[in-house]
Amino acid sequence: MTADLRWDGQTVIVTGAGQGLGRAYALFFGSRGANVVVNDLGAALTGVGADGEVADGVVKEIKAGGGSAVASYDSVQNGEKIVQTAIDRFGRIDVVINNAGILRDKSFRNMKDEDWYAVLGVHLDGAYKVTRAAWPFFRKQRYGRLINTSSATGLFGNFGQVNYGAAKMALIGFTKALAKEGQKYDILCNVVAPMAASRMTATVMTQRSSDQFDPTAVVPLVAVLTHRSAPDTGGIFEAGAGHFAKLRWQRSRGVILRPDDSYTAGAVLAKWDAVGDFSQSDIPDGPASMMAALEQGLQHDRNPP
Ligand code: NAD
């Protein structure tokens, strides 16, 4: 699928590229002509500690394959340093893949402030800081490709991952707004919700699913979305084990209460089935579509079929 796609002369930053998904992305871009900034703090899964060898190992692998790469050991929370490494070493920046991540899984009852802020700090603030530093370069050259990494937990929720879910859903709003700001400058921004065997999923995957969910299976989607010919922006995509799909919102037709219903809680409750009835739904693509749906509902109310 990605056999013919190349990034010759382009610089790609991959955060959290020392292992797991980030490593798979970095090795791929390194084999396709890109100059790769292999960023990894080398932290434990909980975000504590640091180990420069994690990034170094991937840089070595890329170079051994004839590719071009530099290690960056900064935390994504110092995103400007990672972008500076790209500029100092390669003179430009074309693609940013915000992938670094940690987990502090705990039930909400047991979650401490530090677990909340650590997870938000790496996933959300980290993506913000790297993107904030890269954006002026994207704007100036009127070109950029950005991937932010969400998760099924961000989309659907998961027990014990309130912090992680909040960060991962926030990244969707972040990406969708950036996609609107970037479009006229050919800066395309998309969200990937991956599923892959890594230390993050080690406790929930069996050996069989681990083999099936090799991180390299997510690479083709990231490749398509970061290529010059990328076909989409503002999208949310799932990838894992050879499955590729796009997600979108759906709005039920809902109900419109007449003023004589007094907009009371009782009136809403009486129509609750209709509020959640998706048999006549639409696929909203922006705030304006809500006004259109409202207008349509009022028309229907004025002139019942
Ligand atoms: P991983 O733990 O294998 O890799 C994450 C890397 O990020 C590690 O090498 C770690 O050192 C690095 N990192 C942590 N904090 C950092 C920081 N502050 N600055 C720089 N680097 C830092 O995890 P993975 O499974 O490859 O996950 C990659 C991304 O995909 C994460 O954002 C994760 O939330 C997301 N994700 C993964 C899955 C999955 O199935 N593996 C599912 C949904 C989402």
Side-chain angles (χ1 to χ4, degrees):
M1 182 185 178
T2 48
D4 47 350
L5 301 186
R6 295 194 59 85
W7 285 260
D8 295 296
Q10 294 193 20
T11 306
V12 178
I13 291 178
V14 184
T15 71
Q19 59 198 310
L21 285 155
R23 173 174 170 272
Y25 302 151
L27 293 177
F28 172 78
F29 287 110
S31 72
R32 295 302 175 91
N35 298 310
V36 187
V37 178
V38 178
N39 163 258
D40 206 299
L41 182 62
L45 187 56
T46 54
V48 296
D51 178 2
E53 284 182 22
V54 174
D56 286 342
V58 176
V59 169
K60 263 189 215 147
E61 281 187 82
I62 292 173
K63 287 186 174 169
S68 163
V70 65
S72 142
Y73 314 108
D74 294 296
S75 168
V76 284
Q77 288 170 272
N78 299 316
E80 64 288 350
K81 291 192 181 164
I82 301 170
V83 171
Q84 197 56 52
T85 300
I87 297 301
D88 289 349
R89 187 61 175 265
F90 302 123
R92 58 181 295 120
I93 164 74
D94 301 280
V95 178
V96 169
I97 300 172
N98 287 312
N99 165 79
I102 64 167
L103 289 179
R104 296 277 184 100
D105 292 0
K106 277 187 186 106
S107 67
F108 191 52
R109 181 171 179 267
N110 294 321
M111 184 180 293
K112 298 195 167 58
D113 279 358
E114 64 197 67
D115 300 320
W116 172 265
Y117 289 115
V119 167
L120 271 283
V122 174
H123 292 273
L124 182 59
D125 298 349
Y128 159 69
K129 292 287 275 185
V130 179
T131 308
R132 187 77 198 87
W135 199 258
F137 294 98
F138 283 177
R139 276 283 305 262
K140 196 160 171 228
Q141 71 202 12
R142 301 182 82 87
Y143 183 81
R145 298 286 181 265
L146 175 72
I147 299 291
N148 289 315
T149 308
S150 187
S151 157
T153 297
L155 293 162
F156 309 115
N158 192 23
F159 188 95
Q161 293 195 313
V162 170
N163 47 2
Y164 184 71
K168 290 308 202 185
M169 184 49 116
L171 284 165
I172 293 175
F174 177 63
T175 312
K176 282 187 170 286
L178 282 173
K180 292 199 182 332
E181 293 202 14
Q183 195 152 23
K184 74 175 179 183
Y185 301 98
D186 196 11
I187 305 172
L188 307 185
C189 311
N190 288 285
V191 174
V192 171
M195 183 61 81
S198 75
R199 67 177 183 173
M200 249 190 207
T201 50
T203 55
V204 291
M205 278 196 188
T206 61
Q207 186 56 49
R208 193 165 152 266
S209 54
S210 284
D211 296 344
Q212 215 177 354
F213 282 90
D214 192 279
T216 54
V218 180
V219 170
L221 174 68
V222 169
V224 165
L225 294 173
T226 56
H227 193 253
R228 187 165 284 282
S229 62
D232 227 321
T233 193
I236 307 168
F237 300 89
E238 285 175 335
H243 172 75
F244 301 94
K246 186 172 185 179
L247 288 96
R248 63 186 182 190
W249 308 129
Q250 182 181 20
R251 180 194 289 121
S252 69
R253 186 164 146 223
V255 295
I256 294 177
L257 295 180
R258 293 161 175 276
D260 55 8
D261 286 325
S262 309
Y263 307 121
T264 61
V268 174
L269 187 58
K271 306 251 182 181
W272 197 246
D273 284 348
V275 169
D277 177 4
F278 282 89
S279 60
Q280 294 181 65
S281 58
D282 74 324
I283 295 158
D285 57 3
S289 72
M290 185 180 165
M291 296 312 294
L294 187 61
E295 187 49 41
Q296 213 181 3
L298 288 170
Q299 286 288 353
H300 180 274
D301 220 31
R302 279 185 217 115
N303 309 301

